[in-house]
Amino acid sequence: MGEKSENILKDFYIPNYILVAGSGVRNASNIPAFPLIVFINSKSGGQLGGELLVTYRALLNKKQVFDLGDSAPDKVLRQIYTNLQTLKYNGDTVASAIESRLRIIVAGGDGTASWLLGVVSDLKLPKPPPIATVPLGTGNNLPYSFGWGKKNPGTDPKSVISFLEQVRTAKEMKIDSWHIIMRMKAPKQGSCDPIAPLELPHSLHAFHRVSETDVLNMEGHHTYRGGFWNYFSMGMDAQVSYAFHSERKLHPEKFKNQLVNQSTYLKLAGTQGWFCASLFHPSSRNIAQLTNVKVMRRQGHWEELLIPRSIRSIVCLNLPSFSGGLNPWGNPNRRKQCHRDLTAPYIDDGLIEIVGFRNAWHGLVLLAPSGHGTRLAQASRVRFEFHKGAADHTFMRIDGEPWKQPLPVDDDTVIVEISHFGQVSMLATPSCQSKSVYDPASPVGYPDGEDDTNDDELSEDWEERRKLGAADTFKFPDGFDIAHLS
């Protein structure tokens, strides 16, 4: 490495004694300008995660680079912040500077990145560090939303140093986080859990079954809680994703390349009937037939949301990136803002965008500059109520992780409720796709005529929603492969 590269790396290097419990105060010769903690899913991106781990450990202090297959991020961060607080109390100025400047890099798929976001949210750190994401997954919606790209990166030292230079100049942005609760009646026999080969998502926002002493628990029911940052979707798109993840779990050797993965995904979309939904997908499984949807636009006021009968997939979207970088909401023109009370998709306005799709062909309109799905609503809370009826199951997906969800077989109801939880800090490059409601440069809408018209559109106790379930309670189930988080 040249002198320039070595000087860059000094900005990120954390001294050993900061990372080791029980260390005493020392006079360090260098106070890093942008101290980093790096988390890498070594099983993401085929072999890329493992290669990236080797490179980061060669360039930085090995003790500041963690393999998520070996180290739980909540335990790592809790220990580091305990060290920092102890050293600060004893007068260590380096520890104080590191705590105020600390940044996190997480390398993996959207599930891995979301896991880290949930851990940071749950730990309630003194100054939560902003997070940069390295795209090592198939869709990479989170990295793309903040300007980090959607293609798997290079793993050589030059590529990593180039990425670190971007981290050094990146700006902080707040992002809304969303709490999700799912409640269903406990069956008299058998299990209510989703059907093999996939279980409920096990990333940071893993649905965590609450204990009997939790305030959210309801006698005679199973209640799950979790969180997400990008999207919750239901219907045909989640069914295709489930088929893809199931195939990858059965034949992991076939999914070592991002382009191959994307090609396989498209083939499965065809075989699952997403392009010819009217032939392969019974109308009884259309969203309007499966569930009643309610939204809260004003605090304390629920209202029914009309879902067109042709809608086969519904997406509750927080970021302007879905299915590898597409923006289903688009930018409503001034007329629609005025008459339908629609706004641009800001990531920090406390509102989630609800979009519907008829089939994959409908989704292809997103490839047009002003294309979008069927805009249904913007709301601070969304509630799905599934009753006994048209189907015995449906498919759901959170931030890229799908599962097969059983629906009621008796007179009970399955409830899924989404509500605003809080915010976390991300790091964004100048090519960031996300817009802040507080940024004067963010567009408030397109002039009349630039928006595709698409004529078929149509306070609870905070303590009850205090956790996403990522930290403290998080653990992988026996036999779970961390590669699924890619």
Side-chain angles (χ1 to χ4, degrees):
M1 291 187 301
E3 184 177 346
K4 180 182 177 181
S5 296
E6 290 183 0
N7 288 333
I8 290 172
L9 294 176
K10 286 181 181 178
D11 284 343
F12 303 104
Y13 190 92
I14 297 180
N16 258 341
Y17 82 98
I18 296 287
L19 302 166
V20 178
S23 297
V25 176
R26 301 183 188 180
N27 294 317
S29 58
N30 176 61
I31 299 179
F34 305 99
L36 275 180
I37 297 297
V38 182
F39 293 100
I40 298 174
N41 184 344
S42 60
K43 295 189 177 181
S44 287
Q47 302 300 316
L48 296 183
E51 294 172 7
L52 208 57
L53 186 70
V54 172
T55 303
Y56 270 97
R57 284 179 171 170
L59 294 174
L60 302 172
N61 186 341
K62 291 181 180 179
K63 287 186 171 61
Q64 71 186 100
V65 181
F66 298 89
D67 183 349
L68 288 169
D70 301 327
S71 306
D74 54 324
K75 293 181 180 178
V76 169
L77 290 174
R78 190 179 287 112
Q79 183 61 63
I80 289 174
Y81 274 83
T82 298
N83 296 348
L84 290 171
Q85 292 298 316
T86 302
L87 290 167
K88 276 175 58 182
Y89 180 79
N90 291 324
D92 192 302
T93 56
V94 176
S96 180
I98 286 176
E99 183 185 76
S100 65
R101 302 173 186 177
L102 190 65
R103 297 184 168 198
I104 288 177
I105 288 178
V106 54
D110 284 332
T112 304
S114 293
W115 179 15
L116 260 295
L117 286 170
V119 166
V120 171
S121 291
D122 277 358
L123 289 181
K124 310 296 183 191
L125 301 171
K127 185 184 182 299
I131 299 170
T133 52
V134 181
L136 284 183
T138 302
N140 296 318
N141 291 296
L142 262 166
Y144 180 70
S145 295
F146 294 94
W148 301 105
K150 51 187 174 181
K151 293 183 178 179
N152 294 165
T155 59
D156 59 285
K158 184 178 179 180
S159 297
V160 169
I161 290 173
S162 176
F163 186 88
L164 290 175
E165 286 190 274
Q166 287 185 286
V167 171
R168 184 166 61 170
T169 58
K171 66 176 181 178
E172 288 191 38
M173 289 186 74
K174 292 291 186 182
I175 172 179
D176 290 327
S177 58
W178 295 87
H179 191 256
I180 184 165
I181 294 173
M182 182 166 67
R183 181 176 286 123
M184 65 194 73
K185 188 176 181 180
K188 295 179 181 178
Q189 57 185 7
S191 171
C192 69
D193 288 342
I195 303 165
L198 292 182
E199 299 177 352
L200 289 169
H202 285 100
S203 70
L204 80 110
H205 53 265
F207 275 109
H208 171 65
R209 189 176 299 181
V210 302
S211 67
E212 293 182 0
T213 58
D214 195 288
V215 291
L216 289 177
N217 183 60
M218 182 180 292
E219 187 175 354
H221 290 73
H222 291 306
T223 303
Y224 301 83
R225 65 139 55 90
F228 68 94
W229 284 262
N230 193 359
Y231 65 86
F232 165 84
S233 69
M234 180 180 65
M236 279 295 297
D237 78 290
Q239 180 175 337
V240 173
S241 180
Y242 182 85
F244 173 83
H245 282 259
S246 299
E247 184 71 13
R248 184 169 65 176
K249 183 175 183 178
L250 292 172
H251 305 286
E253 70 282 356
K254 298 180 180 179
F255 296 84
K256 300 291 187 181
N257 180 278
Q258 187 182 28
L259 289 177
V260 172
N261 292 355
Q262 292 169 343
S263 174
T264 303
Y265 202 100
L266 287 174
K267 290 177 183 177
L268 286 171
T271 59
Q272 292 292 314
W274 190 210
F275 283 96
C276 302
S278 60
L279 299 177
F280 293 86
H281 188 270
S283 60
S284 62
R285 289 194 182 177
N286 290 4
I287 300 302
Q289 301 288 93
L290 288 175
T291 180
N292 294 328
V293 184
K294 296 180 180 179
V295 296
M296 187 179 291
R297 305 177 207 254
R298 302 194 316 273
Q299 186 62 33
H301 179 70
W302 287 103
E303 58 184 271
E304 294 277 353
L305 181 63
L306 177 64
I307 307 293
R309 295 179 63 86
S310 60
I311 296 298
R312 293 181 168 89
S313 183
I314 193 169
V315 183
C316 298
L317 190 70
N318 189 42
L319 299 179
S321 182
F322 180 74
S323 292
L326 303 176
N327 183 358
W329 186 257
N331 286 281
N333 60 30
R334 294 190 185 99
R335 178 173 59 82
K336 289 186 177 174
Q337 289 187 54
C338 178
H339 296 293
R340 295 193 57 204
D341 195 25
L342 302 178
T343 71
Y346 299 115
I347 63 169
D348 53 1
D349 60 357
L351 296 176
I352 196 163
E353 284 71 41
I354 307 170
V355 188
F357 291 97
R358 297 186 299 274
N359 49 42
W361 297 114
H362 186 192
L364 292 179
V365 302
L366 301 180
L367 299 176
S370 57
H372 59 84
T374 299
R375 299 186 185 114
L376 299 172
Q378 287 174 302
S380 60
R381 293 177 77 168
V382 189
R383 181 181 175 94
F384 298 89
E385 298 178 352
F386 300 87
H387 303 281
K388 178 182 178 181
D392 60 0
H393 70 271
T394 187
F395 295 87
M396 299 180 183
R397 182 164 62 144
I398 295 179
D399 286 359
E401 295 184 89
W403 73 97
K404 188 175 183 178
Q405 176 58 47
L407 296 181
V409 295
D410 51 27
D411 294 330
D412 196 56
T413 303
V414 170
I415 299 292
V416 174
E417 186 172 322
I418 296 167
S419 58
H420 188 260
F421 181 78
Q423 293 184 329
V424 292
S425 294
M426 299 294 292
L427 288 171
T429 74
S431 57
C432 172
Q433 302 295 313
S434 301
K435 303 297 181 184
S436 168
V437 72
Y438 303 105
D439 184 357
S442 296
V444 295
Y446 279 28
D448 291 346
E450 289 191 25
D451 178 48
D452 184 359
T453 56
N454 205 0
D455 291 332
D456 69 343
E457 289 184 14
L458 302 171
S459 139
E460 295 184 13
D461 183 0
W462 174 253
E463 285 304 307
E464 291 191 6
R465 299 170 183 276
R466 67 196 182 279
K467 287 280 188 182
L468 297 174
D472 237 0
T473 55
F474 180 86
K475 66 176 182 179
F476 289 113
D478 294 339
F480 178 72
D481 187 350
I482 192 175
H484 295 157
L485 298 186
S486 67

